[in-house]
Amino acid sequence: MLSNKLGITNEIELARQEELLTKRRALELFETGLLNTFEVGTFDGLSKIHAYLFQDISEFAGQMREVNIAKGGFRFAAVMYLGAALDAIGRMPQNDFDQIVEKYVEINVAHPFREGNGRSTRIWLDCILRKELGRVVDWSLVDKEDYLLAMERSPVRDTEIKILLKAALTDAVDDRQVYMKGIDASYRYEGYTTYTMDGLDK
């Protein structure tokens, strides 16, 4: 278990507190309009999203990882190449839907943080879609298993994730409920289901 600012040593309790605190921060990002001030489509913008979400939890919030990581046998970008990879991703075009999703797939392969990559990069993806296409993903329409399988295959073949996300696009970019349901879905993909955004709002 990674060290945390809260001094929690129980993994289950840490997960509960992380979900609660970061979901509150996710809501603040939307309500304050801060999310709209970050650079779109670069690691700088992504690091600001991550830093804001995880500021209450981790000393490393927003910081590029300094260790190699893997998941399910898949090794993410090696630390020695990570900086160069992130610079290259920042320069990738984002003019249409296919280019944007290809950029998203590459940032997932890079996995720049020790934890919280998925939750941060899905918000980052929506920022790009909003700016370039006037759309966002309604994540509540994207099935967890379909999404995880499509993302697992995406470094080799990105057709599935493109089809899945395109079917869930909406032009309701300023809709608070779409955003809140999307955050809940995003967290559900990672196994965080204790709190709902609507519950935090009461």
Side-chain angles (χ1 to χ4, degrees):
M1 188 172 70
L2 295 177
S3 61
N4 61 87
K5 287 184 175 181
L6 305 175
I8 296 173
T9 55
N10 180 284
E11 198 166 342
I12 294 173
E13 178 58 24
L14 178 59
R16 286 171 56 86
Q17 287 302 308
E18 180 179 312
E19 181 182 4
L20 176 64
L21 295 172
T22 58
K23 278 188 170 179
R24 281 180 179 162
R25 292 299 189 182
L27 186 55
E28 288 174 11
L29 276 176
F30 181 84
E31 302 241 290
T32 62
L34 185 61
L35 190 58
N36 301 326
T37 69
F38 298 155
E39 196 170 52
V40 176
T42 65
F43 176 67
D44 181 71
L46 177 58
S47 70
K48 284 184 169 63
I49 293 169
H50 189 275
Y52 198 87
L53 289 180
F54 292 93
Q55 61 183 293
D56 305 304
I57 303 294
S58 173
E59 298 286 354
F60 306 106
Q63 296 181 27
M64 189 170 63
R65 61 180 165 85
E66 297 178 347
V67 296
N68 290 321
I69 57 173
K71 184 176 183 179
F74 181 82
R75 289 187 175 278
F76 296 106
V79 168
M80 65 185 302
Y81 304 119
L82 186 53
L86 293 170
D87 287 343
I89 291 166
R91 293 191 300 271
M92 287 177 70
Q94 53 189 50
N95 301 310
D96 58 37
F97 178 79
D98 282 354
Q99 288 180 348
I100 292 168
V101 175
E102 285 157 16
K103 192 165 190 168
Y104 172 58
V105 167
E106 289 303 315
I107 203 73
N108 181 64
V109 171
H111 241 61
F113 311 112
R114 286 292 301 272
E115 61 172 25
N117 288 279
R119 287 167 282 170
S120 301
T121 55
R122 283 185 284 275
I123 293 173
W124 181 82
L125 169 63
D126 274 334
C127 288
I128 306 175
L129 289 167
R130 176 180 177 147
K131 178 187 176 186
E132 305 296 349
L133 306 182
R135 301 283 189 275
V136 292
V137 177
D138 184 344
W139 295 99
S140 69
L141 302 178
V142 181
D143 178 78
K144 175 181 176 177
E145 296 307 320
D146 289 345
Y147 170 77
L148 293 176
L149 278 171
M151 285 305 291
E152 186 179 320
R153 295 168 180 153
S154 65
V156 175
R157 184 176 174 83
D158 61 19
T159 307
E160 287 176 72
I161 194 64
K162 285 177 177 175
I163 291 170
L164 199 62
L165 296 184
K166 184 169 259 187
L169 288 179
T170 174
D171 61 3
V173 296
D174 295 315
D175 190 295
R176 192 170 184 269
Q177 278 302 119
V178 168
Y179 178 81
M180 291 188 8
K181 287 191 302 178
I183 294 294
D184 281 336
S186 178
Y187 274 64
R188 195 160 52 247
Y189 302 152
E190 312 293 341
Y192 294 89
T193 58
T194 303
Y195 302 98
T196 65
M197 295 290 281
D198 273 331
L200 298 181
D201 204 27
K202 292 171 183 171

